[in-house]
Amino acid sequence: MQTHEIRERFTDHFVKAGHTAVPSASLILEDPDLLFVNAGMVPFKPYFLGQQNPPYPNGTATSIQKCVRTLDIEEVGVTTRHNTFFQMAGNFSFGAYFKEGAISHAWNLLTGSLADGGYGLDPERLWVTVYLDDDEAAEIWEKKIGVPAGRIQRLGMADNYWSMGVPGPCGPCSEIYYDRGPEHGEEGGPAVDDTRYLEIWNLVFMEKERGEGTGKDSFEIVGDLPKKNIDTGMGVERVAAILQGVDNVYETDLLRPVIDTAEQVTGAKYGAEHASDVRFRVIADHSRTGMMLILDGVTPSNEGRGYILRRLLRRIVRSARLLGATGETLERFMTVIMDTMTPSYPEIADSRERIIRVAVTEERAFLKTLESGTHRFDEAAAKTRDTGAKTFSGEEAFTLHDTYGFPIDLTLEMAAEAGLDVDVAGFEAAMGEQRARAKADNKAKKHGHADESVYREWVDNSPTQFVGFSELTADARVIGLVADGVSVTQAGAGDDVEVILDVSPMYAEAGGQLGDRGRIVTDGTVLDVTDVQKIGKRLWVHKATVLSGGLDLGQAVKVEVDPDWRHGATQAHTATHLVHAALRQVLGPTAVQAGSLNRPGYLRFDFNYTEQLTPAQLEEIALITNQAVDSNLAVNTIETSLEEAKKMGAMALFGENYGSEVRVVEIGGPFSIELCGGTHVGSSSQIGPVAVLGESSVGSGARRIEAYSGMDSFRHFSKEAALASGLAASLKSPTEELPERISQLTEKLKAAEKEIANLHRQQLAAQGGELLNQAVEAGKFTVLTHRLPDGVSGGDLRTVATDLRGRLAGKPGVVVLAAADGDKLPFIVGATKEAVELGVKSGDLVTLLSGYVDGRGGGKADMAQGSGANPAGLDAGFHAVREELAGR
Ligand code: SER
């Protein structure tokens, strides 16, 4: 049974039982605890916690959620149960049915006949586990379902109590296992062998809330959830492996074609030996995960999600090379994995070109340095081993990272293959130093909220009410104060403090728009707000300095947005939408947004595109943008569902959750429709002119357009105009004729320089006769050593030396000339035919002279040139040359 059909049967089964089918959320949700969505329940978290009511008629839902887990990337393909990307099929009950419902739904689907829409698994092969004291679940399995007591096992918290690993919903669980048969391991059920007995479905009886703690089994249960809920997760890939009769999840219909392609590309054979099989499986697994991450908007970088993607793509490239590939491979892998995944994810079709471009750009960047980096690694590893050490240096690992783009994990893997450890502490120290340098360089950069635990209670229980779309001032209460990452109750004059308010009119940085600036005031107290950041999408954190007075927790305050700041940022934000729309008109839909920034008067917009824009394209983008301003297009904001928004044609970017309400910003009807939570002008002419400044590369297949908006555009244009008229006045030419005038002048200047150089040479040649008077007899030779005036170039030296040598023809003569040219001292030695016949080699004399002037050079016996760095040694050098010749 194809994976696509397994998915369909799952959804049908639960929809028939009254569940609402919910599409998979993006892999990227704004949850401070998660890099990627890693379980089917993640998008439903607020419903489990009772923070929001589930919008499903029967209080039940079903989904097949895209999941990524990347904790153990090194284990991929070594063990064969886990994929980094997998699809978790789940059914969810928010206070509707509980244990019995969950158990019978799962059992019926697994064991139901194929004709009835089930998976037709043999009930005799199914085992189940329950939590230690969960008699209720054990009894349901035995009495209601009829699973023999011998195939029901009880396991502890680590196996049968599920939580997200952080404070949140949790509960005991019951897992269903499939016995793959004695050839896969020992008898005795999942408690004994979880390779032979493969876990296929986890039913979580979500009824508790957990507190802080570590690991799977050492946390506190802080209380009951408002309702008894169900969260289940069936591993689609594992069920596919069973139903397709293949050995493991890397060989199902979705991934096997990548392995087949890898065989063609590399010439190696899958199944020949373990080490190469692991590489094939890495290629298959990572190609899919990489593709799905790019699909959801991740681009390779050195941090966070982008780093994971970079690491996955680079591991594919390296694995393919180790298997024998020589050229680029990612385009072929991406193409085949897109083919196998498109039936389940039709949206891939629109992104094929972009996905390939992102992957291939990364591959090219890596290939450029892979060989030299590997060479460097091998040398350093050999040196390490030669000295008898077992640890690869942290400094070296840092160089590989910094100069050759080797993720540290790649170095770790290569070191392990070479039988070495890596001094990770040393590596991190070097990284730390680099970061500190970068930080010092960029003081203005706001600090990341690395540890958000201090905000958690407010995020969960008292999010900020934002009123800033309609108001620029508001009355509010201080519900929290944080200083240096710690919750405090007071702030005094001069303190920097983060203020958390119940209500705020201040825009918190999001979607590229910087946070508002403004003031928080109360009797005798004024705080200057320099930034506003949003935590967990719900909590507004105002970064402020107390200018006078003091602030206490609980105090009533007035919050005032700086109206000029807001006006400017708003203009810039709407202008960004116009630039984005214009860009897509000019470059086509593959130019996908990769990031943006808007602050008063300035915007920048990053997008995925591999080629440099031509001046004509830029001009067209600027023209379309300003025409849109001039047309005074209406700007509408509409709150609707994501599905509706997509139907309207909104460019849905990553980070959006299906089912959720979204805000659509529409400018001039179809001209620009985007999902956006930012502030916008009422109609486009309020933006004022947009001055497009230019475009540049920002690495890895992305480019950046920068522009001014509003009065800053005016200032820019007027500065340019003043510059042009200033030039016109000094060049005595109308502005429109400036380009021609300047190119005429440049031509004239070039001609004049040439003329001067000619005159110079003539003058030097004319002096030749006089110079010859300074020649001295040194043994058998007539020798002229002379320093010419400063600024004579190497080329002119040669002309003069040739001339003088010609004048000495007929006798053994040697000419040595030098002239300082800036910091350098070019010099030349020429010898007549007669001198050469007596054994003089000009090259040797250049070497001799070099010793005195810190120089180097070389040439033939009759003429050789050099350049020195120390003119002070010249006289001694000349003397040495004369001595050398005299002694022959
Ligand atoms: N949340 C549980 C899991 O991830 C079941 O869906 O295993």
Side-chain angles (χ1 to χ4, degrees):
M1 191 186 293
Q2 300 286 292
T3 303
H4 189 54
E5 187 178 340
I6 295 172
R7 290 167 45 104
E8 277 177 357
R9 281 175 184 250
F10 190 94
T11 306
D12 289 349
H13 178 77
F14 284 100
V15 167
K16 261 189 214 139
H19 296 63
T20 303
V22 178
S24 171
S26 163
L27 280 166
I28 296 144
L29 288 186
E30 248 187 68
D31 184 322
D33 295 324
L34 288 181
L35 211 48
F36 301 114
V37 169
N38 61 0
M41 54 73 66
V42 171
F44 301 108
K45 194 168 132 190
Y47 311 142
F48 287 121
L49 291 170
Q51 290 167 341
Q52 287 174 32
N53 286 326
Y56 314 120
N58 300 323
T60 57
T62 182
S63 71
I64 298 172
Q65 173 64 44
K66 305 182 265 192
C67 295
V68 167
R69 290 185 188 173
T70 52
L71 265 187
D72 301 315
I73 295 187
E74 299 76 29
E75 290 299 304
V76 166
V78 180
T79 64
T80 55
R81 272 169 298 161
H82 300 103
N83 284 137
T84 53
F85 171 91
F86 59 98
Q87 305 172 81
M88 190 180 278
N91 54 295
F92 307 92
S93 154
F94 310 103
Y97 57 80
F98 198 46
K99 293 186 185 176
E100 188 172 341
I103 290 174
S104 57
H105 278 313
W107 187 260
N108 292 343
L109 176 59
L110 290 177
T111 63
S113 73
L114 294 176
D116 288 341
Y119 294 141
L121 293 182
D122 177 1
E124 300 300 315
R125 288 199 167 214
L126 297 179
W127 288 62
V128 297
T129 59
V130 298
Y131 182 56
L132 291 178
D133 67 0
D134 195 352
D135 298 335
E136 187 190 351
E139 204 174 303
I140 298 170
W141 281 117
E142 195 183 344
K143 303 270 160 60
K144 297 255 163 53
I145 304 291
V147 176
R151 293 213 308 268
I152 304 171
Q153 298 184 318
R154 292 185 188 238
L155 294 176
M157 225 166 158
D159 295 293
N160 276 64
Y161 206 98
W162 197 87
S163 80
M164 294 175 77
V166 288
C170 67
C173 62
S174 176
E175 296 179 335
I176 307 174
Y177 288 77
Y178 182 83
D179 179 3
R180 301 200 296 151
E183 68 276 25
H184 291 281
E186 280 183 62
E187 292 285 335
V192 172
D193 184 340
D194 59 2
T195 301
R196 165 169 171 179
Y197 301 90
L198 187 66
E199 183 203 333
I200 52 176
W201 205 332
N202 184 12
L203 316 177
V204 184
F205 310 129
M206 205 83 114
E207 51 178 334
K208 303 282 183 195
E209 189 168 352
R210 70 162 267 182
E212 296 292 345
T214 50
K216 285 183 164 180
D217 51 2
S218 55
F219 51 83
E220 246 189 306
I221 306 294
V222 292
D224 290 335
L225 291 175
K227 289 180 178 155
K228 289 180 185 299
N229 309 295
I230 288 298
D231 150 35
T232 88
M234 182 191 88
V236 173
E237 280 58 27
R238 291 186 181 180
V239 171
I242 293 168
L243 292 178
Q244 292 170 14
V246 296
D247 187 60
N248 60 62
V249 291
Y250 299 89
E251 293 170 22
T252 62
D253 59 325
L254 297 184
L255 292 185
R256 180 68 209 209
V258 187
I259 295 186
D260 296 342
T261 305
E263 284 188 320
Q264 292 163 14
V265 169
T266 62
K269 276 269 152 277
Y270 184 62
E273 46 129 7
H274 180 71
S276 59
D277 283 357
V278 171
R279 289 180 186 132
F280 276 111
R281 293 195 280 255
V282 164
I283 292 173
D285 174 90
H286 291 6
S287 293
R288 178 163 67 166
T289 310
M291 187 274 286
M292 294 302 283
L293 288 178
I294 300 172
L295 177 67
D296 278 356
V298 183
T299 48
S301 73
N302 279 338
E303 229 130 45
R305 298 177 176 122
Y307 174 71
I308 303 265
L309 174 61
R310 168 157 288 169
R311 201 176 150 203
L312 292 170
L313 295 177
R314 293 187 171 198
R315 274 173 57 98
I316 304 174
V317 173
R318 182 164 178 266
S319 301
R321 283 195 110 65
L322 290 172
L323 285 172
T326 47
E328 291 177 16
T329 55
L330 279 187
E331 177 160 358
R332 292 195 59 187
F333 297 149
M334 288 293 139
T335 302
V336 25
I337 194 64
M338 289 193 289
D339 291 344
T340 70
M341 295 296 282
T342 302
S344 296
Y345 300 92
E347 63 271 28
I348 292 172
D350 292 337
S351 292
R352 288 181 77 95
E353 211 188 305
R354 175 175 65 87
I355 289 170
I356 289 181
R357 199 175 52 235
V358 172
V360 169
T361 305
E362 177 66 11
E363 175 170 38
R364 287 186 185 150
F366 185 45
L367 282 178
K368 260 192 207 149
T369 53
L370 178 62
E371 223 140 282
S372 40
T374 305
H375 187 68
R376 169 128 193 176
F377 173 88
D378 289 343
E379 273 182 357
K383 234 187 245 164
T384 311
R385 273 191 307 252
D386 287 350
T387 60
K390 293 226 76 100
T391 304
F392 190 84
S393 114
E395 275 294 328
E396 244 335 291
F398 176 74
T399 305
L400 285 170
H401 165 88
D402 203 41
T403 314
Y404 299 90
F406 276 33
I408 176 66
D409 307 276
L410 176 60
T411 307
L412 286 171
E413 280 174 41
M414 290 173 65
E417 284 164 18
L420 297 172
D421 297 329
V422 176
D423 171 15
V424 177
F427 168 78
E428 270 161 11
M431 284 291 282
E433 276 168 33
Q434 192 198 41
R435 274 200 204 105
R437 277 195 303 273
K439 236 187 199 159
D441 286 350
N442 193 1
K443 265 199 187 138
K445 210 170 167 179
K446 48 192 78 61
H447 79 265
H449 292 269
D451 177 11
E452 294 187 344
S453 52
V454 61
Y455 309 105
R456 174 143 303 283
E457 198 187 312
W458 296 303
V459 175
D460 288 343
N461 301 323
S462 40
T464 309
Q465 190 198 345
F466 174 60
V467 296
F469 284 134
S470 54
E471 313 296 331
L472 289 185
T473 59
D475 293 322
R477 190 162 294 281
V478 178
I479 59 171
L481 291 170
V482 174
D484 295 328
V486 180
S487 174
V488 296
T489 55
Q490 281 191 318
D495 289 352
D496 288 330
V497 65
E498 296 178 356
V499 185
I500 295 159
L501 302 169
D502 58 348
V503 175
S504 178
M506 299 193 77
Y507 183 79
E509 177 171 348
Q513 182 177 340
L514 294 191
D516 277 335
R517 307 296 187 254
R519 305 195 317 161
I520 297 175
V521 294
T522 181
D523 281 347
T525 295
V526 179
L527 283 86
D528 176 31
V529 179
T530 52
D531 191 16
V532 187
Q533 292 288 320
K534 207 189 289 190
I535 310 254
K537 270 192 178 165
R538 293 150 54 90
L539 191 74
W540 266 235
V541 175
H542 305 74
K543 301 189 178 182
T545 307
V546 185
L547 297 182
S548 61
L551 195 65
D552 292 325
L553 192 63
Q555 211 165 347
V557 292
K558 196 167 188 67
V559 192
E560 303 165 353
V561 177
D562 174 346
D564 292 338
W565 171 279
R566 170 67 77 80
H567 174 65
T570 298
Q571 285 181 313
H573 199 157
T574 312
T576 306
H577 285 215
L578 297 184
V579 169
H580 187 188
L583 190 90
R584 286 169 77 97
Q585 278 190 25
V586 174
L587 302 180
T590 57
V592 170
Q593 174 164 10
S596 66
L597 179 120
N598 352 95
R599 59 171 149 74
Y602 169 86
L603 67 96
R604 67 169 195 240
F605 184 83
D606 296 349
F607 54 101
N608 293 317
Y609 202 72
T610 35
E611 284 146 53
Q612 188 178 359
L613 269 52
T614 64
Q617 284 172 324
L618 260 188
E619 212 175 301
E620 203 182 340
I621 291 165
L623 178 70
I624 296 173
T625 305
N626 283 287
Q627 277 169 345
V629 170
D630 185 57
S631 306
N632 199 21
L633 305 173
V635 180
N636 293 315
T637 52
I638 305 152
E639 311 257 331
T640 181
S641 66
L642 183 63
E643 291 71 10
E644 267 313 307
K646 278 198 156 172
K647 273 188 212 142
M648 290 170 65
M651 282 178 256
L653 301 165
F654 49 89
E656 298 303 332
N657 190 355
Y658 276 85
S660 51
E661 282 281 297
V662 294
R663 189 160 174 274
V664 177
V665 176
E666 182 200 72
I667 308 176
F671 181 77
S672 158
I673 304 178
E674 288 193 39
L675 296 189
C676 175
T679 67
H680 288 279
V681 298
S683 65
S684 62
S685 60
Q686 292 166 4
I687 297 170
V690 180
V692 174
L693 301 175
E695 67 98 46
S696 54
S697 162
V698 279
S700 260
R703 305 203 69 85
R704 166 171 296 172
I705 282 199
E706 292 177 279
Y708 290 132
S709 55
M711 283 306 286
D712 282 275
S713 297
F714 168 76
R715 281 182 208 109
H716 171 74
F717 289 137
S718 93
K719 211 163 95 191
E720 301 261 294
L723 189 69
S725 44
L727 283 174
S730 66
L731 296 179
K732 300 195 178 40
S733 153
T735 39
E736 59 275 21
E737 284 169 22
L738 273 178
E740 205 187 319
R741 178 98 181 98
I742 289 173
S743 81
Q744 280 169 1
L745 284 174
T746 320
E747 284 305 311
K748 254 190 179 165
L749 193 64
K750 267 194 212 144
E753 275 170 352
K754 221 169 161 185
E755 182 65 26
I756 291 171
N758 267 336
L759 289 173
H760 207 107
R761 266 193 296 274
Q762 284 170 15
Q763 198 185 6
L764 286 171
Q767 286 171 359
E770 282 165 41
L771 281 180
L772 223 47
N773 295 337
Q774 298 175 25
V776 295
E777 299 306 317
K780 299 176 214 145
F781 301 93
T782 307
V783 184
L784 171 65
T785 51
H786 184 72
R787 179 171 176 165
L788 289 167
D790 290 356
V792 175
S793 71
D796 286 348
L797 273 183
R798 180 174 271 271
T799 310
V800 180
T802 310
D803 172 56
L804 290 172
R805 189 184 55 176
R807 291 171 195 251
L808 287 173
K811 49 181 169 177
V814 175
V815 179
V816 187
L817 301 177
D821 188 7
D823 300 342
K824 297 215 186 81
L825 181 80
F827 56 87
I828 190 159
V829 178
T832 60
K833 198 166 105 230
E834 294 71 18
V836 172
E837 277 164 10
L838 287 173
V840 171
K841 288 200 179 88
S842 299
D844 289 351
L845 295 177
V846 161
T847 309
L848 175 67
L849 187 52
S850 290
Y852 291 85
V853 295
D854 294 349
R856 51 199 286 190
K860 300 206 186 115
D862 63 342
M863 183 74 76
Q865 266 177 297
S867 178
N870 173 29
L874 189 62
D875 284 342
F878 280 163
H879 182 72
V881 170
R882 288 192 300 265
E883 289 287 288
E884 207 278 340
L885 291 169
R888 276 170 183 262

